[in-house]
Amino acid sequence: MEATDLPWRRPDPLPGFLETERLVLRWWQADDAPALYDAVASDRAALLPWLPWAGSKHQDVAASLGTIEWFDGARERGEDYTIGAFDKATGEAVGGTGFHRMQPDAHEAECGYWVRGSRQREGFATEMTRAMLSAGFRDQADGGWGFRRIHLRCMGSNQPSQGVLEKIGIPFEGREREAKWVDTVGYEDFLVYGVLAREWNIDRQRMRATG
C-alpha cells in the first residue's frame, strides 16, 4: 500500500519554522500582536480589497492578539496552519503565509501569502512561497509536511499576486468565474494554480524542467 492510499495526517511534531535568505517563517506568538497590528494597520489600503480582513480586523493590538489566539486554536485542532514572515535582519513582521483548506484524502493543501504595504515589490511573496512549497512537499520523515499537491489561488484583477505565481512558474489550472464578491470591485474570478510534488524540486525551490 502506498502512503498516499491513506489520508494525510499532519506531521508530529509540526515543522513550524523555516529560514530563507531574508526571512524567518514561524508561528505567530502572543507577543507578536503589536507587530501584526502594525503590519496591517500601517497601510491597510495596500492589502485591500483583496484581503477583506485587513479592513474588518486588527483594529487595535488587542484584536490582533485575539487573531493570534485563533491561529493557535485552529492549529491545535488541525484546521489551519497560519505562519508569520519576519525580516531576518530586523525582526519586522513582513507578512504571512501558511497552509489552509487541507484535503486529507487528496494529500492536498492551499498555500496563501500576503506582504505588508511598506515591503511590497521586494520579492518577499515569491521568497516565502518557494520555501513553503519545498516544506510542503518534503517528506514528513525529513521534517516536511508530506503533501502530494498544493494549490494557490488569487483573484483575477490582483495582478501582483498573479505575478508571483507566474514568476515561480506554477501551472495555471483554471478560472472560477465570478466566484467571490469583492467590495469596490464586484464579483471577481478566482484564478487557480496548482503543483504536484513530482513537479517541484525541493532542494532548488523551483519547478522541475519539463520535456
Side-chain angles (χ1 to χ4, degrees), residues 10-173:
R10 68 179 194 169
D12 184 16
L14 290 174
F17 180 90
L18 289 172
E19 235 180 276
T20 69
E21 180 181 356
R22 298 177 295 168
L23 297 172
V24 171
L25 307 179
R26 61 167 175 80
W27 307 122
W28 293 99
Q29 300 171 0
D31 57 6
D32 294 321
L36 175 56
Y37 169 74
D38 183 67
V40 177
S42 62
D43 191 354
R44 294 183 190 273
L47 303 177
L48 296 170
W50 316 118
L51 301 174
W53 51 259
S56 60
K57 297 183 179 180
H58 304 287
Q59 298 302 316
D60 52 35
V61 173
S64 293
L65 175 59
T67 298
I68 291 173
E69 291 172 345
W70 184 89
F71 292 159
D72 290 343
R75 184 171 70 250
E76 289 299 317
R77 294 189 299 271
E79 297 173 355
D80 189 272
Y81 302 96
T82 302
I83 293 172
F86 300 85
D87 188 309
K88 189 187 295 186
T90 66
E92 178 185 50
V94 170
T97 181
F99 291 122
H100 320 290
R101 300 178 182 87
M102 280 66 62
Q103 300 178 38
D105 288 345
H107 293 242
E108 179 176 354
E110 179 175 318
C111 182
Y113 51 88
W114 65 276
V115 176
R116 66 184 296 153
S118 62
R119 304 302 301 272
Q120 292 180 5
R121 294 174 293 280
E122 295 184 43
F124 286 121
T126 301
E127 187 171 328
M128 71 175 75
T129 300
R130 288 184 186 276
M132 289 294 288
L133 290 174
S134 286
F137 288 132
R138 184 168 287 113
D139 191 274
Q140 292 189 4
D142 296 326
W145 290 82
F147 292 120
R148 182 193 61 88
R149 169 180 156 82
I150 296 173
H151 70 267
L152 306 95
R153 301 194 301 169
C154 67
M155 293 183 199
S157 297
N158 189 345
Q159 294 296 325
S161 187
Q162 184 178 350
V164 169
L165 304 179
E166 293 180 347
K167 181 178 181 179
I168 297 173
I170 298 174
F172 174 69
E173 295 187 334

